[in-house]
Amino acid sequence: MIVNKRCPTELKTSDFFYELPPELIAQHPAEQRDHSRLMVLDRATGKWEHRHFYDILDYLRPEDVLVINDSKVIPARLYGHAEGREDAALELLLLRQRDLDTWECLVKPGKRARVGSRAVFGEGLMTTEVLEIAEEGNRIIRFTYDKERYKTIYEVLAQIGMMPLPPYITETLKDSSRYQTVYAREEGSAAAPTAGLHFTPELLERIQKKGVAIAPVMLHVGLGTFRPVKAERLDEHVMHTEFFSISQESAELINERKAKGGRLICVGTTSCRTIESAAEEDGHIPAMSGDTGIFIYPGYRFKAVDALITNFHLPESTLLMLISAFYDRDRIMEAYAEAVKERYRFFSFGDAMLIQ
């Protein structure tokens, strides 16, 4: 494997900047999920290929195990107003569930979300109260709604919430299911694990028919995944924690395949962070759940992941730093320059990359 040439302590956030023409930021998903383009990077040879995502089958071996994140995006963006003041607009983004009806949220504008302040959403279907101010200015908020009419908060969100598309997507998404993987199961994410958006049920069926095992894990995507890096030095950045879970069934399947020589291929950086958060020093994966604030950047030694399917990430993002740790920063930046030259589509609805 090619290793990073620069000492990790010398790397700065600015070392992960690249120029991206705005028109290459994908505003909508590909017409067919698996018809996105696919850049394949071979770490052994340093070469790359230009393919389509449905060609992923050519790079998978029967003994491999594909690890997917089956977290489901919730309609986590809410628009309302301060209680008794319809002219005082508020925007909420639910980030992380603390208990059944208490969430950590981003609030805009923050000045209208002081401790004890109340707000109204969905023309009264839901009211909120700010309980405390957390790190980075996030608010801990309690939600109140009609428990006889709605069994859980998710049923209310389905009525009044909006899909939390990233700010760089300015076009309206006509079909909200396109910001959801076809295998999404457990509600709780504030953003999609976008590398999985390229899979179709048919492609997954073909992958399994080839003999490849599919092991679902879960990480609820929150602020830790997309929070910008403000520190100049990488070791000064602190990740926000996110909840993850690996079932006994998935852990046994992964360990069984690895023991027989199969590769562990993660679909997306969230699956990768889940696996590396749980992995023991010898690469064994235990069944477990908990919080992870793992920050993977060059210098990190991977314990379990052998290959990675991912999208093209924002400049200076923790996700770009993660894939640079998995391969080589210089080669990743060269590959990104090639992707720009070849007019690949970038970010959430963009094209994909396989690093093997």
Side-chain angles (χ1 to χ4, degrees):
M1 180 190 300
I2 297 175
V3 297
N4 289 276
K5 303 176 184 67
R6 295 179 63 182
C7 175
T9 57
E10 295 178 354
L11 287 171
K12 298 180 180 179
T13 299
S14 57
D15 290 318
F16 297 88
F17 178 80
Y18 65 92
E19 296 284 352
L20 180 68
E23 65 271 17
L24 296 186
I25 300 174
Q27 293 297 312
H28 51 81
E31 189 170 334
Q32 297 184 55
R33 288 178 183 263
D34 60 356
H35 280 51
S36 298
R37 296 171 72 187
L38 176 70
M39 177 183 281
V40 182
L41 274 62
D42 190 316
R43 293 184 294 169
T45 65
K47 296 181 179 179
W48 54 60
E49 298 178 76
H50 300 295
R51 304 290 296 271
H52 286 91
F53 197 81
Y54 49 72
D55 295 319
I56 196 77
L57 203 64
D58 296 341
Y59 300 92
L60 301 178
R61 304 167 189 165
E63 63 271 18
D64 291 340
V65 56
L66 199 65
V67 177
I68 60 174
N69 179 10
D70 65 1
S71 179
K72 189 173 186 177
V73 186
I74 61 174
R77 181 165 278 126
L78 297 172
Y79 294 95
H81 59 82
E83 188 177 61
R85 290 190 55 196
E86 294 189 11
D87 61 330
L90 276 171
E91 177 185 341
L92 252 62
L93 178 64
L94 283 71
L95 292 175
R96 177 173 177 160
Q97 193 172 28
R98 290 291 186 92
D99 60 39
L100 187 61
D101 295 321
T102 305
W103 288 70
E104 183 174 350
C105 305
L106 283 174
V107 185
K108 295 180 182 179
K111 64 182 180 181
R112 291 179 183 159
R114 297 183 176 91
V115 173
S117 63
R118 299 175 62 86
V120 179
F121 297 89
E123 298 182 346
L125 283 183
M126 184 134 65
T127 58
T128 63
E129 180 183 0
V130 178
L131 301 181
E132 61 179 282
I133 299 177
E135 61 178 296
E136 297 291 314
N138 296 339
R139 268 53 172 182
I140 308 302
I141 293 178
R142 182 170 57 224
F143 291 81
T144 304
Y145 50 92
D146 186 344
K147 295 291 181 67
E148 293 185 3
R149 182 178 178 185
Y150 300 104
K151 294 180 181 178
T152 69
I153 190 173
Y154 297 111
E155 292 186 3
V156 191
L157 292 175
Q159 294 286 321
I160 65 176
M162 297 184 65
M163 199 61 80
L165 294 179
Y168 51 75
I169 296 176
T170 57
E171 295 184 9
T172 302
L173 180 62
K174 296 178 181 178
D175 179 3
S176 62
S177 70
R178 294 304 306 274
Y179 193 60
Q180 204 81 263
T181 63
V182 297
Y183 46 73
R185 181 185 59 84
E186 188 167 342
E187 294 178 307
S189 277
T194 55
L197 296 178
H198 305 283
F199 288 93
T200 65
E202 293 78 17
L203 180 57
L204 289 168
E205 184 179 353
R206 290 170 60 205
I207 288 170
Q208 288 178 301
K209 282 185 176 178
K210 187 170 183 175
V212 178
I214 297 178
V217 298
M218 189 279 293
L219 181 141
H220 285 326
V221 186
L223 196 59
T225 296
F226 56 83
R227 176 185 173 199
V229 179
K230 297 178 181 178
E232 182 179 0
R233 286 177 41 181
L234 303 192
D235 58 1
E236 294 175 346
H237 177 70
V238 178
M239 293 285 283
H240 199 82
T241 59
E242 296 163 309
F243 182 76
F244 76 95
S245 178
I246 302 174
S247 69
Q248 185 68 41
E249 182 180 4
S250 287
E252 290 177 356
L253 181 57
I254 292 168
N255 293 325
E256 178 186 326
R257 287 294 176 117
K258 290 277 283 184
K260 294 180 178 178
R263 297 176 302 167
L264 191 166
I265 303 171
C266 278
V267 177
T269 56
T270 59
S271 297
C272 176
R273 291 177 63 235
T274 299
I275 289 297
E276 290 296 317
S277 295
E280 298 170 351
E281 286 302 316
D282 61 358
H284 180 268
I285 307 299
M288 65 180 299
S289 61
D291 295 334
T292 180
I294 190 171
F295 178 24
I296 298 175
Y297 57 91
Y300 177 84
R301 184 183 67 83
F302 284 82
K303 300 187 287 288
V305 178
D306 300 302
L308 179 62
I309 297 169
T310 186
N311 277 19
F312 290 90
H313 304 296
L314 275 72
E316 299 183 335
S317 65
T318 61
L319 308 181
L320 181 54
M321 294 167 189
L322 185 153
I323 65 169
S324 297
F326 190 65
Y327 187 13
D328 171 74
R329 189 208 73 97
D330 293 341
R331 290 298 288 157
I332 288 293
M333 300 310 284
E334 289 172 9
Y336 268 53
E338 172 74 4
V340 169
K341 175 187 169 186
E342 293 295 323
R343 311 295 289 178
Y344 274 67
R345 301 167 75 241
F346 280 66
F347 306 163
S348 293
F349 286 143
D351 296 313
M353 173 184 284
L354 167 64
I355 309 173
Q356 62 173 3

